[in-house]
Amino acid sequence: MVSVNLGLVHYVLDHIYGTVLHRTKLGTPFFSKGWGGTRLVLLERMVKQLFPEAPSQNWPPTAVQPIWKTVWETKNSSLREGVFRTTCDERLIDALPPESHNARVAFLTPKSVSPEKMACVVHLAGTGDHSFERRLRLGAPLLKDNIATMVLESPYYGQRRPSMQHGSKLQCVSDLLLLGKATIDEARSLLYWLQSEAGYGKMGICGLSMGGVHAAMVGSLHPTPIATLPFLAPHSAVVPFCEGLYRHATAWDALMEDAAALAQDATSLTEDAAQKSGITIEQVKDRLRSVLSLTDVTRFPVPKKPQAVIFVGATDDGYIPRHSVMQLQKAWPGSEVRWVTGGHVSSFLLHNDSFRKAIVDGLDRL
């Protein structure tokens, strides 16, 4: 009888999925248009401003007043979709593509319970999550626990995706920071609206993968205790792009050529620009690592109630190694790490019940 190491199977499946999706070069890679020029400089400066403690965290955030329309309703629940102008700083709005200027949310609520007796969790998007559907499926069973679900569509995704962007592959490094900063600002504004306008008693923030990184940041910066629930999330974007499978989906040649052009103060590129400038691929990788270190969650303040922070990692994740998840827990003493059996891709599909249990438990600790 042959014994199968299921952990190894899940790990290999992640790599097979990554090979098909990233190494085959069938699609446009990440950062095919380079670093992002002056936008990257702006983003580096603004992201650094998130780290210090209040008052520089700018609370309360810009208020939102979504324009709602009802998608459907039953006797016990309703689903509404809302639109509001992004709450970013005007300098960031100018840097965002026009398609991303208006934020979109879906709001799934029970009808028989008043908000002050309920909880609501804001769900943030992972890489490739262009619609509301998957996160609504995650949140729908929580209605029975009197937990509402608000799903935010990220900039550069879904109806907010730029016309020149194909799929989920962002065109510039600056786009990744723009996406993150806008998501954080919008999520903070939504949490403020839920508390001050809608009157919800308990609140939480969650997300899978990239959405988990953003959720951790939002939970860190919130001035009062909320449940913070990052699922399958690394401690930093350095992990997937510089160490994990996304490194095979990154346009290193484009980044090297763009860096060479900047070094030469040139307006056009030649094939041997990188060679003439003396810029090496290792220097480019170091530069990307430095930029993406701005997303390191361990540099953010410990949330107001770390006992309501629950990280969920996968035991055999080909994208996010265990040590990255453990760095999060180490940085936030009092938080909890839970493990689900599987890889990154399989856990998205098989462990929704574990994610829901973490949401319920995190809210119960408030």
Side-chain angles (χ1 to χ4, degrees):
M1 186 173 183
V2 178
S3 177
V4 178
N5 185 331
L6 289 180
L8 179 61
V9 170
H10 289 298
Y11 185 82
V12 169
L13 284 175
D14 275 354
H15 280 264
I16 292 174
Y17 178 82
T19 296
V20 172
L21 199 64
H22 306 315
R23 296 200 195 194
T24 54
K25 310 299 182 184
L26 294 177
T28 304
F30 283 103
F31 316 139
S32 60
K33 293 191 176 180
W35 297 94
T38 57
R39 288 177 300 163
L40 182 59
V41 176
L42 171 67
L43 264 295
E44 286 183 285
R45 184 168 64 250
M46 295 192 74
V47 171
K48 287 177 181 177
Q49 294 171 359
L50 283 172
F51 297 136
E53 293 284 357
S56 60
Q57 288 180 12
N58 300 318
W59 189 268
T62 303
V64 295
Q65 289 296 333
I67 300 172
W68 297 103
K69 69 173 183 178
T70 299
V71 177
W72 55 255
E73 58 183 345
T74 65
K75 180 180 178 181
N76 299 316
S77 62
S78 68
L79 176 64
R80 292 182 292 165
E81 291 187 5
V83 179
F84 61 91
R85 181 172 171 80
T86 182
T87 54
C88 288
D89 181 284
E90 286 297 326
R91 291 170 295 172
L92 291 186
I93 293 176
D94 291 340
L96 283 168
E99 297 90 340
S100 293
H101 287 184
N102 289 326
R104 296 177 63 242
V105 291
F107 197 17
L108 179 63
T109 60
K111 296 172 67 175
S112 58
V113 184
S114 60
E116 63 270 14
K117 296 180 180 179
M118 292 173 49
C120 184
V121 175
V122 177
H123 295 238
L124 304 182
T127 303
D129 193 350
H130 285 269
S131 70
F132 299 138
E133 182 180 351
R134 194 204 176 284
R135 286 170 285 163
L136 287 174
R137 288 202 308 270
L138 176 62
L142 296 172
L143 291 174
K144 69 181 187 313
D145 296 302
N146 292 329
I147 300 172
T149 290
M150 180 172 282
V151 179
L152 173 65
E153 183 179 69
S154 289
Y156 296 91
Y157 279 15
Q159 293 188 25
R160 305 180 71 183
R161 184 175 66 186
S163 59
M164 297 300 292
Q165 177 184 306
H166 300 290
S168 305
K169 305 294 179 60
L170 304 176
Q171 297 177 86
C172 298
V173 174
S174 60
D175 293 345
L176 184 64
L177 295 185
L178 270 169
L179 185 160
K181 182 64 169 67
T183 297
I184 292 167
D185 288 347
E186 292 166 7
R188 298 184 79 195
S189 291
L190 288 171
L191 287 168
Y192 183 61
W193 180 86
L194 287 168
Q195 183 178 38
S196 62
E197 298 289 332
Y200 278 83
K202 294 181 179 180
M203 296 180 301
I205 186 83
C206 79
L208 287 95
S209 196
M210 177 183 72
V213 175
H214 297 152
M217 294 175 177
V218 173
S220 163
L221 298 173
H222 199 77
T224 59
I226 62 172
T228 303
L229 308 153
F231 304 145
L232 309 179
H235 75 281
S236 164
V238 170
V239 175
F241 283 100
C242 298
E243 302 170 9
L245 290 174
Y246 282 164
R247 71 185 187 277
H248 302 299
T250 297
W252 296 110
D253 289 345
L255 291 176
M256 188 161 63
E257 290 174 355
D258 195 19
L262 292 172
Q264 295 179 5
D265 194 26
T267 57
S268 62
L269 297 176
T270 60
E271 289 185 3
D272 60 347
Q275 183 177 357
K276 288 181 179 179
S277 69
I279 291 177
T280 67
I281 187 64
E282 290 306 319
Q283 289 174 314
V284 170
K285 290 181 178 180
D286 287 344
R287 170 62 173 148
L288 184 62
R289 183 180 293 273
S290 175
V291 171
L292 297 185
S293 69
L294 294 172
T295 68
D296 188 341
V297 176
T298 65
R299 298 170 62 185
F300 280 68
V302 178
K304 297 301 180 290
K305 191 164 187 178
Q307 293 80 7
V309 178
I310 301 176
F311 301 105
V312 179
T315 55
D316 301 282
D317 196 323
Y319 284 78
I320 313 300
R322 291 173 67 102
H323 71 79
S324 183
V325 181
M326 295 308 298
Q327 285 187 55
L328 291 165
Q329 195 277 332
K330 182 179 179 180
W332 291 354
S335 62
E336 180 186 354
V337 175
R338 297 180 181 180
W339 298 99
V340 294
T341 302
H344 200 78
V345 175
S346 61
S347 294
F348 268 92
L349 303 174
L350 302 176
H351 292 300
N352 279 346
D353 286 343
S354 296
F355 301 143
R356 294 187 194 105
K357 180 68 164 54
I359 290 172
V360 172
D361 291 348
L363 290 167
D364 283 345
R365 296 174 185 181
L366 296 176

